[in-house]
Amino acid sequence: MAATYPPDQHLLRDLRISFEHRTDTTSGARMPVVPALAAPDGSVRAGALATLVDVIGGGLAATVAHPSWIATADLTLHLYGAAVEGDVEADARVVHAGRTTVVIEVDLRAVPGASIGLATMSFAALPRRAGNPDVTTSTAPGPSTMALEGSSLRRPLLDELEVRVVDPARGELEAPVGEWSRNSLGAMQGGAVATLIDAAATTAVNVRASEPLVVTDLQITYLALSRSGPLRTRVDLLAADTEHAEARVEVVDGGASARRTALARIVASRSLRTGR
Amino acid sequence: MSAGTPRGFGGPETGRDVTRYMRVELHETEPSADGAPRVVGTAPAADHLRGPDGGVRAGALLAILDSVGGLCGGLAALPDAWVVSTNMSARTLTREHRGPFRVEAGVLRKGRTSVVTGIEIRDSGARDAIVVDGVLTSALLVPQAGPPRWERPMSLPVAPPLPEPVPPLPEWMGARPIDGNTMEMPLPDALRNPWGILHGGVVVSLADLAAEHVTRRTTTDVVLHFLAPNRVGPVRATATELGRRSDGVVSRVEVREHGAGRVTALAVVTSA
């Protein structure tokens, strides 16, 4: 791992997210909508939105859990609208902060536009270890960003993650755990894992669909850190018709004896873009 | 997350009124290859559990999921602790139910503070079609009198039939609408779990009823976070429609312990 986190070339910098941390138990963030984040219908893909949710939710959870550290236990995302231009705004708030768990709720809004989705996350509070980042400076009240001058996505998000399709019908995709997508614990960032899940599901459901389907719901349970790589996905299609699909997605870490690191349920539907 | 005052873990029948009503039978089976417990349950697709569309209500299915997944998680926590549900996410895949249901729960992960179980409900009368696919996360807690000491492998046969006519789920819960968005129910002892708090399956059923009340549709998908125990009734669930899409309506449901004036659960419900 690089000595400083995140390194100059990193997912969290290249998404160009700007933050507005507040003194209460809420936090805001904005992510520019760029073509590199697009799903098959041209709107921002669920995995990219999950990454925004993970970043803002994780920061807020780490702040309220301080001095304990946190581990993401699960992330859910329900979309009912699409972001196709401008920014996506995320507004996060703490709905529970206990001794062992923190629960965060995140509203997503297209700017300009309307509310497009609701996400929830829960975190396990863990004893702080040496090496856990000190978030009290990075989440101090006021505006901030991790982007550097020149930070940007130069290729589609899945290409940046080096995602490779092995078997589209089975949703078998593979991606390395590279420095660009690692979190502070050295594992693939939770939002990047969500993007891999989104990509696997999108690939599998669109093998059979008559028109492109996009992932609208993600329910991800994180079971272990994805540290080694390559990560591999497998999709079990549970229900599908021409305009709707439901599936279960499994992520295993090929470099860690194929240990299962995440399990997800997804819903894919016709585009949520208005007028389609 | 805190639990209520333990109602008692003296015997496996304690706090089982909900599973009695659902007519759930539970059996611990051979452990998995890594030694983690597995639990298999059965339940009928009983008439008193069915909703307006003729299928068994999602709330009832998730109450069954909570019971079977919770027992599996609890057995994984033994001998040092027991569990209390902290969140569940589940999707119903079919709304035509013949029954009986076969429910299988296994441990996906056991950590120092929590257990995650995966649960599948299948319809034995419909060629084992998957009815529900879900995950239940539970926190490890030590009851005041210590964790239960039960004979293993654990087996909880179905209780004697309830006197006829068995009330439908909303009536049994005492749930009633109090405005256009809110359902309210009392908190009788019969609906408490062994921790002495409102059973998680009843909480999710109340959220289901609130979403149905607002959308006039059938719940297909629930994500629910248990935020605090419900100890003092009445308990209210308020649903707010967030948006619509081709497969239904997405709603946010907030459950409040009205007696204590606090939010006790947050759910996102999709209704078709």
Side-chain angles (χ1 to χ4, degrees):
Chain A
M1 266 191 74
T4 59
Y5 181 82
D8 289 356
Q9 303 293 322
H10 195 272
L11 166 68
L12 300 186
R13 297 195 190 280
D14 290 344
L15 289 174
R16 302 194 62 81
I17 299 171
S18 54
F19 302 94
E20 180 65 44
H21 299 297
R22 307 177 189 119
T23 50
D24 58 6
T25 54
T26 67
S27 223
R30 273 194 180 209
M31 180 174 74
V33 174
V34 295
L37 301 178
D41 69 341
S43 67
V44 177
R45 63 182 320 134
L49 295 171
T51 305
L52 174 64
V53 167
D54 187 57
V55 174
I56 187 75
L60 186 56
T63 304
V64 297
H66 186 79
S68 295
W69 188 236
I70 51 157
T72 309
D74 57 72
L75 184 155
T76 74
L77 173 68
H78 291 78
L79 297 175
Y80 39 85
V84 293
E85 60 178 342
D87 294 337
V88 180
E89 188 176 81
D91 202 6
R93 70 185 187 97
V94 177
V95 293
H96 175 76
R99 193 170 41 86
T100 57
T101 58
V102 178
V103 181
I104 305 284
E105 181 181 35
V106 184
D107 288 307
L108 293 170
R109 175 173 290 275
V111 181
S115 174
I116 60 167
L118 181 67
T120 68
M121 298 186 75
S122 65
F123 302 84
L126 306 171
R128 174 167 287 274
R129 291 179 179 173
N132 289 149
D134 180 1
V135 296
T136 53
T137 51
S138 60
T139 59
S144 65
T145 181
M146 282 188 264
L148 304 173
E149 193 174 330
S151 294
S152 69
L153 293 168
R154 290 165 181 81
R155 298 181 291 168
L157 182 57
L158 301 187
D159 292 343
E160 294 277 19
L161 288 167
E162 299 179 57
V163 174
R164 188 172 70 88
V165 177
V166 178
D167 183 337
R170 296 164 65 95
E172 290 181 1
L173 275 57
E174 198 172 274
V177 181
E179 293 300 326
W180 188 77
S181 61
R182 286 187 197 270
N183 63 18
S184 60
L185 299 174
M188 185 181 272
Q189 202 265 351
V193 174
T195 302
L196 182 61
I197 289 167
D198 166 16
T202 304
T203 302
V205 302
N206 280 315
V207 167
R208 296 167 183 82
S210 58
E211 62 175 296
L213 302 182
V214 294
V215 170
T216 55
D217 291 359
L218 283 168
Q219 296 176 10
I220 304 171
T221 305
Y222 295 99
L223 301 171
L225 293 171
S226 299
R227 276 199 169 111
S228 302
L231 301 189
R232 298 190 177 107
T233 61
R234 194 188 69 197
V235 176
D236 289 325
L237 213 51
L238 302 175
D241 57 37
T242 53
E243 53 187 52
H244 179 85
E246 297 165 27
R248 186 163 46 198
V249 185
E250 183 182 73
V251 181
V252 300
D253 189 339
S257 306
R259 182 185 195 189
R260 184 161 53 184
T261 60
L263 195 61
R265 280 171 310 291
I266 68 95
V267 175
S269 301
R270 285 184 302 176
S271 174
L272 296 171
R273 292 182 69 169
T274 52
R276 287 210 166 200
Chain B
M1 188 166 301
S2 59
T5 303
R7 187 180 175 192
F9 287 85
E13 292 300 316
T14 308
R16 278 200 72 214
D17 301 81
V18 172
T19 49
R20 273 191 207 106
Y21 176 76
M22 305 288 171
R23 305 205 51 71
V24 181
E25 184 175 346
L26 299 159
H27 300 286
E28 183 180 5
T29 60
E30 283 292 309
S32 60
D34 62 358
R38 291 190 301 169
V39 173
V40 170
T42 58
D47 286 345
H48 63 270
L49 301 179
R50 293 182 185 269
D53 71 342
V56 172
R57 290 179 179 277
L61 290 168
L62 299 192
I64 294 169
L65 177 150
D66 183 60
S67 295
V68 181
L71 179 65
C72 185
L75 294 175
L78 291 177
D80 303 319
W82 194 247
V83 292
V84 62
S85 303
T86 54
N87 67 64
M88 65 166 70
S89 59
R91 181 147 193 98
T92 62
L93 293 151
T94 172
R95 292 296 309 153
E96 291 180 16
H97 305 136
R98 294 181 180 212
F101 298 123
R102 178 180 168 84
V103 192
E104 292 192 13
V107 176
L108 296 173
R109 181 178 68 81
K110 178 179 180 290
R112 278 174 295 165
T113 60
S114 66
V115 183
V116 182
T117 50
I119 306 105
E120 247 185 27
I121 302 179
R122 290 179 179 266
D123 191 338
S124 300
R127 291 182 292 181
D128 280 334
I130 300 181
V131 175
V132 175
D133 181 48
V135 169
L136 176 72
T137 303
S138 307
L140 273 60
L141 287 176
V142 181
Q144 277 180 358
R149 295 183 183 84
W150 293 331
E151 193 174 324
R152 305 282 295 272
M154 182 92 174
S155 197
L156 298 173
V158 68
L162 298 167
E164 295 288 344
V166 180
L169 184 59
E171 187 182 321
W172 179 73
M173 290 167 57
R176 63 183 181 91
I178 59 168
D179 60 34
N181 297 74
T182 306
M183 297 291 291
E184 180 184 279
M185 63 174 288
L187 212 171
D189 281 347
L191 299 186
R192 295 175 193 265
N193 67 13
W195 293 100
I197 61 178
L198 184 61
H199 193 287
V202 179
V203 175
V204 73
S205 288
L206 187 64
D208 169 30
L209 291 174
E212 179 189 294
H213 178 53
V214 167
T215 65
R216 305 291 172 193
R217 292 168 181 242
T218 303
T219 297
T220 54
D221 181 290
V222 176
V223 168
L224 187 140
H225 294 273
F226 297 98
L227 306 174
N230 291 287
R231 292 197 192 95
V232 184
V235 180
R236 291 180 178 171
T238 302
T240 307
E241 183 179 318
L242 298 175
R244 294 181 174 235
R245 58 191 202 197
S246 63
D247 66 330
V249 177
V250 180
S251 304
R252 179 184 186 276
V253 183
E254 199 168 87
V255 180
R256 296 184 78 89
E257 182 187 41
H258 191 63
R262 61 178 178 177
V263 178
T264 56
L266 171 66
V268 184
V269 177
T270 309
S271 314

